[in-house]
Amino acid sequence: MTVDELMDILIRCEDAWDSPDKTGDPVALLDHGLQVAAVVRSWHPDDPELQVAGLVHDIGHLLNPGDEAGHAAAGADAVRPLLGDRVAGLVELHVPAKRYLATVEPARGLSPESARTLELQGGLMSSDEVTAYEAHPYGAAAVILRRADDLGKVIGLTRPPLAELAAWRPVIERLVGADRP
Ligand SMILES: [Fe+2]
Ligand SMILES: [Fe+2]
C-alpha cells in the first residue's frame, strides 16, 4: 500500500458506513475517522501514530462490508505494510479494547450499534482475557483510541470532510518516513 492508495481508501469512506445498509452508527466512515482522530489529537498531540490509528481504524468496514467481527483485523492487515506495527496493532486492538472497556467499566454506555455488535465480536471478556489484554504493549493506548471511538459519532460535526482529510496527509507522510523500531 502507498500513501496515495490509503488516501483513496479514506476518500471512499466518505460514502461508506459501518453497516452496508446504514442502520449502524449515524455517520459515514470518513466522518467518523476524522472525528476520532481529532479527539485523539486533542488528548495526545504528541502521538501521531495514535492519531492516525484513529483516522484509519474502521477502514475494514469498507474493505470487507458486513464483517463486524473481522473488520479490525482486516484494517490492521491493510495498513501494516505502510504504517507499521504499532498503528496496525492499535487498529487491530480497537475491538478487543471495546470488549475490555465494556467488561471493566460496565456502567459505561455504548452506542446502540456498538452494543449490538459487541456480542458478534466476542462479548464481555473473561478474567483471563482481561489480564492478557492489560499485558499487551499497545493495550493502554488502544483504550484511549476506543474512548475516542465512542465520541466520534456526532452527526454533521466534520465539515468539509475531504478538506479535513487532506490536512492529515502530511501527518501520514511523516509517519511513513519516520524510523520505526
Ligand atoms: Fe470499529
Ligand atoms: Fe469506530
Side-chain angles (χ1 to χ4, degrees), residues 25 32 36 57-58 61 71 94 146 149 153:
D25 283 325
H32 175 56
V36 173
H57 75 281
D58 270 340
H61 285 303
H71 81 278
H94 88 268
R146 182 62 215 180
D149 196 352
K153 302 176 181 183

Side-chain angles (χ1 to χ4, degrees), residues 80 83-90 138 180-181:
R80 184 174 285 106
L83 299 176
D85 282 340
R86 181 165 179 258
V87 174
L90 292 167
Y138 305 146
R180 285 191 296 264

